[in-house]
Amino acid sequence: MRAIPPPLLTFTDVLNTCVGSISCQTLTQNINAINPQLNNAVQDFATKAATADLFKIQPFTGGDDDIVAGHVPKKQLKGLYTYHMVPARKPARQYYDQIMMQAPLLICPFCGFGQVTTLDHYLPKAKFPLLSIFPKNLVPSCADCNKGKSAGIAASKNEQCLHPYFDQGHFVNEQWIFAQVIQTTPATIRYFVQAPSHWSASDQARVNSHFDDFKLAKRFSIQAGDEISNLRGELDIDFQINQQTGVEQALLKKCAGASLQHKNSWKTAMYQALASSNWYCSGGFK
Ligand SMILES: [Zn+2]
């Protein structure tokens, strides 16, 4: 997981631009008429996000044609995003692109390795239609993370995956993703979560939820498998020069470099596990 800065766009700018591209006058009037409800929803989100209480926002349980506020049904609120913010020819597409660019190098903040190709609704628009175009509810995401999370919603604080705009600090600065080496040929890496014991019980539960929601154990393991096959030739040279110590030192150096960049990445945990595996460093890498 990588923390990224929240977009500085105002909800009003995004809303007005989306509404400005609607051709139906009645729909424009109907959406303008629910401005107070939209702003309340956005305010509520901002307040609850600050204390990791987004799960307390009540989902809308009605269908696409059911009214969410005033005369506006769910499908038209979802449509603000789908038809007025996503399409390349719409003026609000500039905001969509700006939010995508919040992720440095377009690397997905949820998994830390996928390429950003879409925006994920942290609170899904199907259940929280008033938040369908709220910038802080839109997070740059890779396709796998976007699909992995789908429309499931957290019923408690513990079930909330991390929000890259709001969950910064210790979630980023302290290590909670670890790995161990499995003695196979070639070696494989098994990832697991071990949150610092001084964290609150809910923070510990949340990193576990994040890890499970995005299926990171399996996806990290695949990334590691590729890197391990690339490492073989390089470590052979280190082994020839200084045997097991040479391999350990090379891996520790890579671990330090990766950790400096991101404490919780598949790379940091992988190099840490490889460097501390006697079996791997003494020849298991071959
Ligand atoms: Zn991702």
Side-chain angles (χ1 to χ4, degrees), residues 108 111 142 145 219:
C108 172
C111 62
C142 72
C145 285
R219 294 171 60 209

Side-chain angles (χ1 to χ4, degrees), residues 50-200:
T51 50
D53 285 321
L54 288 176
F55 75 96
K56 289 182 178 166
I57 300 179
Q58 287 305 307
F60 178 73
T61 51
D64 266 349
D65 293 317
D66 291 327
I67 297 291
V68 179
H71 298 291
V72 186
K74 178 164 102 172
K75 66 179 174 200
Q76 286 175 337
L77 287 166
K78 281 164 61 188
L80 279 178
Y81 178 77
T82 310
Y83 305 119
H84 299 281
M85 191 167 177
V86 177
R89 64 184 191 284
K90 294 288 181 171
R93 174 68 193 208
Q94 61 175 307
Y95 298 127
Y96 181 99
D97 292 337
Q98 273 184 45
I99 298 172
M100 293 258 273
M101 296 305 290
Q102 292 299 113
L105 305 172
L106 287 180
I107 292 172
C108 172
F110 291 115
C111 62
F113 68 88
Q115 195 201 338
V116 168
T117 54
T118 186
L119 295 182
D120 177 69
H121 286 82
Y122 184 86
L123 295 182
K125 62 182 181 309
K127 307 269 172 62
F128 303 90
L130 290 169
L131 296 164
S132 73
I133 56 165
F134 178 44
K136 286 179 181 163
N137 190 37
L138 298 171
V139 184
S141 170
C142 72
D144 284 339
C145 285
N146 185 240
K147 221 175 340 157
K149 204 161 123 295
S150 70
I153 53 168
S156 69
K157 195 168 199 135
N158 292 359
E159 288 174 25
Q160 294 180 122
C161 70
L162 301 182
H163 192 313
Y165 300 151
F166 301 104
D167 294 311
Q168 312 215 346
H170 60 288
F171 290 115
V172 177
N173 302 328
E174 295 181 49
Q175 189 176 2
W176 50 270
I177 292 172
F178 291 87
Q180 77 179 118
V181 179
I182 310 292
Q183 298 183 12
T184 48
T185 312
T188 45
I189 302 291
R190 188 184 75 85
Y191 285 89
F192 59 94
V193 170
Q194 195 183 326
S197 54
H198 62 270
W199 283 13
S200 70

Side-chain angles (χ1 to χ4, degrees), residues 10-84:
T10 71
F11 173 62
T12 310
D13 284 345
V14 180
L15 176 65
N16 289 344
T17 311
C18 286
V19 172
S21 73
I22 297 173
S23 50
C24 168
Q25 222 177 353
T26 314
L27 179 57
T28 303
Q29 283 167 0
N30 287 346
I31 290 186
N32 284 336
I34 62 159
N35 220 292
Q37 289 94 323
L38 285 163
N39 280 300
N40 280 343
V42 160
Q43 264 311 318
D44 192 36
F45 183 102
T47 310
K48 293 196 164 74
T51 50
D53 285 321
L54 288 176
F55 75 96
K56 289 182 178 166
I57 300 179
Q58 287 305 307
F60 178 73
T61 51
D64 266 349
D65 293 317
D66 291 327
I67 297 291
V68 179
H71 298 291
V72 186
K74 178 164 102 172
K75 66 179 174 200
Q76 286 175 337
L77 287 166
K78 281 164 61 188
L80 279 178
Y81 178 77
T82 310
Y83 305 119
H84 299 281

